[in-house]
Amino acid sequence: LLKLDILGLDTLSVIQDFMALVKHRCGVDIVWEDIQLDDKEVLALFAKGDIVGVFEFQVSAGMARLAQDVEPDTFGDIVAINALYRPGGMRSGMAQMYVQRKHGREKTPSVHPLFDGITADTYGIIIYQEQIMRMAHSMAGFAMEVVDDLRKTVGKREGLEKIEQFRAAFVQGCRDGGINEKISNELFDQVRHFGSYGFNKSHAVVYSLLSYWTQWAKCYYPLEFLVSCLNWQNDEQQLRRLLSYAAS
């Protein structure tokens, strides 16, 4: 079965109006799929904390600060910021751990080749639910239906007791795969600790794509983008921010 989470987003209307305005004023057809996701100028705006009008990022000064701390230089960093800037991710210290390891101020430990590969893009930190699923399947040999049970249990924070019910099977599965008990218990400790704050990566990627596209629009067509934002904004505080930004 395919689960669809369908949201009504003003941002989609902003993007639609932006495309029409760029076509009218500049004669350019925007093809979003052709836009490179490693544009240094776009990523530099995130790194400066310039997030006015940017989907998801504009909602909080804290997210702007996290973007400045991370200094994203890849699209993957944008995805990680979107996933980390949640109450659990901030409280647990995951966000600052990501920052410290990304900039080499803290060493990323090597735990096991399989785990290191699964968390290579996140500096050895379990940020996404999909990482837990890959660990349980590829390291402990869990069947996919059991993998999903573990994901739901961890994601719903149903208490340490319910999560602990999976430990014995996880350790045994790792042992069957040649991973010693000490390492497998340490890995499960990480699942229990960080996994409860893990975010859905597929969700974060889609949101981050809209974040990136809106930042790209502001970078290369600021007038058309800000006009489109103003046309769809009815929050007085956000209107003031947009007008102040446009004036600067």
Side-chain angles (χ1 to χ4, degrees), residues 1-221:
L1 297 176
L2 175 65
K3 176 188 174 185
L4 298 176
D5 187 6
I6 301 174
L7 307 175
L9 298 176
D10 286 347
T11 300
L12 298 179
S13 298
V14 170
I15 288 174
Q16 188 175 38
D17 282 5
F18 165 75
M19 293 171 66
L21 197 53
V22 170
K23 174 67 173 177
H24 175 72
R25 286 176 49 83
C26 310
V28 175
D29 289 307
I30 304 293
V31 181
W32 297 107
E33 291 75 14
D34 292 343
I35 291 172
Q36 298 298 309
L37 297 178
D38 58 355
D39 189 306
K40 291 182 179 179
E41 292 188 44
V42 176
L43 292 169
L45 290 179
F46 282 105
K48 290 195 303 184
D50 185 341
I51 47 77
V52 172
V54 176
F55 178 69
E56 279 293 278
F57 281 73
Q58 69 175 344
V59 300
S60 170
M63 204 162 187
R65 286 193 295 272
L66 180 57
Q68 288 176 298
D69 289 344
V70 171
E71 297 179 24
D73 52 17
T74 67
F75 179 70
D77 284 333
I78 306 299
V79 178
I81 293 168
N82 252 314
L84 287 167
Y85 195 75
R86 312 284 162 175
M90 298 300 287
R91 283 198 307 267
S92 68
M94 289 167 60
Q96 283 308 307
M97 189 182 296
Y98 184 93
V99 170
Q100 295 301 314
R101 292 183 180 182
K102 174 179 170 57
H103 295 300
R105 295 190 286 267
E106 178 181 310
K107 185 178 178 181
T108 300
S110 177
V111 178
H112 183 275
L114 287 174
F115 178 82
D116 294 349
I118 291 169
T119 59
D121 293 339
T122 55
Y123 306 99
I125 309 165
I126 300 172
I127 293 178
Y128 306 115
Q129 293 178 2
E130 288 87 341
Q131 290 173 312
I132 295 173
M133 297 170 75
R134 285 182 62 195
M135 287 174 60
H137 182 64
S138 64
M139 302 184 75
F142 281 15
M144 292 309 295
E145 61 268 24
V146 182
V147 167
D148 199 45
D149 286 341
L150 174 60
R151 177 195 63 80
K152 287 187 288 188
T153 302
V154 172
K156 291 180 180 178
R157 303 172 182 83
E158 294 182 1
L160 295 181
E161 307 80 22
K162 289 193 175 182
I163 298 174
E164 281 294 325
Q165 291 174 6
F166 291 90
R167 183 184 289 273
F170 184 89
V171 171
Q172 183 60 54
C174 287
R175 185 186 295 121
D176 293 342
I179 302 171
N180 72 54
E181 189 170 329
K182 180 177 183 296
I183 290 176
S184 59
N185 271 300
E186 289 175 353
L187 289 171
F188 194 84
D189 286 341
Q190 289 208 43
V191 169
R192 188 181 65 177
H193 180 66
F194 290 116
S196 60
Y197 305 116
F199 197 68
N200 184 296
K201 185 175 184 179
S202 57
H203 187 144
V205 167
V206 175
Y207 267 40
S208 297
L209 194 58
L210 284 179
S211 300
Y212 187 91
W213 283 352
T214 50
Q215 188 73 284
W216 180 93
K218 189 176 70 177
C219 181
Y220 289 104
Y221 297 94

